[in-house]
Amino acid sequence: MGQNTSTAVLEAVNTMTGGAFPMKDPLDAAGSCVFDDKVMAEKLPAAILKRFQDCLISGDPTTEEDQKIIADTLYEWARERGAIDFAHWFFPLRGGGGAVGGMLGAFKQDTLLDLDFASKYVTKPMKACLPAERLFQGETDGSSFPNGGLRVTHSAAAFTTWDRTSAPFVLNKTLYIPCAFVTHFGKCIDEKTPLLRSMDAVKVQGLRLLKAVGLGKDANTMHSYLGWEQEFFVIDAEHYKARPDLVNTGRSLFGKLPTRHQQGDLNYFQPIPTSVATLLDRVQALMLEVGCPMAVKHNEV
């Protein structure tokens, strides 16, 4: 259940956040900061887009020539939206006991520039760009995932690779590139790689099933769609700080159960409190900009 937030409330949020909240209609701005198939079709030559999409089906790598054109196009698009940095964005297995941060994404920001190695000067000048090889693959330190000290130094490296089925997006002057994250030996240490592997397994067996029952005999791929209901509690900062269990573990460890375990329903589908609605409106506006369809809001407990 949604609740419209008045202009006065939006202006108040804008003041508190230093003008970070966009004073524009979220629906008008939906998808404006995501480099999706529609944008690629508008920006890239048709032949390159066709080869890129064919690679998504076959699993073949994108050719170096196409990588260069895609990277240059993505750079220009991101700069139009104010991007200064880019980051490979991944979801490592962090381990631990459920404390805050257990499911947070990880990234390292790199500035959109490189040395101009074609220059005749010994001290190579800088140039603003998005190097193609750094768009599609990156190397970083994986020794601390899922726990520190699990691998010897010479095999502590980990690699990020752009999940080409996930569109890059611009947020807070950074171009985020959704990536898988694997170890030096190719073992996954993230949440995304198992998902991609399961989708591939569903595709293989799904096509096998279709052909066995005489349907879709000419199909060459299968797409999986998943819509999540993200449930969470919103707690006032002062109340949160007063609860050491929440601060240290991210969950409630003490309290009182309802009588005979009969949970109340007084707040179920009630109007969302104004302060929470303001928060959700801001989150929704930003999510729509980066192509994430946050389509439903409602109150529960």
Side-chain angles (χ1 to χ4, degrees):
M1 175 178 177
Q3 177 179 347
N4 292 330
T5 306
S6 67
T7 302
V9 174
L10 290 178
E11 290 176 349
V13 173
N14 217 31
T15 300
M16 289 186 293
T17 57
F21 189 81
M23 294 296 291
K24 51 188 174 183
D25 191 312
L27 294 181
D28 290 340
S32 60
C33 291
V34 59
F35 194 75
D36 56 12
D37 290 345
K38 180 176 181 294
V39 175
M40 294 182 74
E42 295 172 352
K43 301 288 186 180
L44 290 173
I48 294 178
L49 177 61
K50 178 65 167 56
R51 289 196 294 269
F52 180 82
Q53 293 175 335
D54 288 344
C55 288
L56 298 185
I57 297 175
S58 65
D60 293 334
T62 304
T63 65
E64 292 186 3
E65 294 78 11
D66 287 355
Q67 286 186 23
K68 178 68 167 60
I69 296 174
I70 293 171
D72 290 344
T73 303
L74 179 56
Y75 168 79
E76 295 295 338
W77 174 88
R79 288 292 293 145
E80 291 172 359
R81 283 148 186 81
I84 298 175
D85 302 310
F86 74 97
H88 277 196
W89 184 50
F90 56 98
F91 287 82
L93 295 171
R94 295 187 182 273
V100 175
M103 289 295 291
L104 294 181
F107 59 89
K108 173 177 65 70
Q109 290 174 291
D110 292 296
T111 308
L112 287 165
L113 58 78
D114 200 1
L115 296 179
D116 184 3
F117 291 100
S119 171
K120 64 180 181 180
Y121 300 109
V122 175
T123 303
K124 305 302 182 184
M126 294 182 295
K127 64 175 181 179
C129 64
L130 173 58
E133 63 275 9
R134 295 171 67 188
L135 165 62
F136 283 81
Q137 182 174 318
E139 181 179 358
T140 186
D141 179 13
S143 62
S144 294
F145 300 113
N147 300 100
L150 289 183
R151 286 178 292 280
V152 294
T153 303
H154 69 272
S155 64
F159 298 90
T160 53
T161 178
W162 177 21
D163 169 22
R164 295 171 295 177
T165 63
S166 296
F169 60 91
V170 172
L171 180 66
N172 294 333
K173 298 183 180 181
T174 299
L175 170 64
Y176 288 93
I177 303 160
C179 288
F181 184 54
V182 297
T183 69
H184 182 77
F185 297 106
K187 296 181 179 180
C188 67
I189 48 175
D190 67 336
E191 304 283 353
K192 191 176 187 66
T193 302
L195 175 63
L196 295 175
R197 290 176 177 173
S198 66
M199 291 171 62
D200 188 60
V202 169
K203 180 187 76 171
V204 172
Q205 299 305 323
L207 290 174
R208 179 169 169 260
L209 175 62
L210 287 176
K211 290 176 173 57
V213 298
L215 298 175
K217 293 183 177 181
D218 57 344
N220 56 13
T221 191
M222 179 177 288
H223 301 286
S224 302
Y225 294 92
L226 178 66
W228 291 356
E229 181 184 7
Q230 190 69 33
E231 296 187 346
F232 52 89
F233 292 95
V234 178
I235 303 173
D236 183 270
E238 293 304 316
H239 295 162
Y240 172 81
K241 294 174 184 177
R243 290 284 298 273
D245 55 340
L246 297 180
V247 172
N248 290 286
T249 70
R251 62 185 65 184
S252 179
L253 297 181
F254 54 83
K256 184 178 180 180
L257 292 173
T259 303
R260 299 178 64 183
H261 299 276
Q262 297 299 306
Q263 299 182 18
D265 60 1
L266 296 178
N267 294 312
Y268 211 88
F269 290 111
Q270 284 278 16
I272 301 174
T274 301
S275 59
V276 177
T278 302
L279 168 67
L280 293 181
D281 285 344
R282 182 173 188 272
V283 171
Q284 182 187 50
L286 294 174
M287 290 183 70
L288 290 177
E289 275 194 13
V290 299
C292 184
M294 179 177 167
V296 178
K297 296 175 286 184
H298 73 90
N299 198 52
E300 287 202 2
V301 298

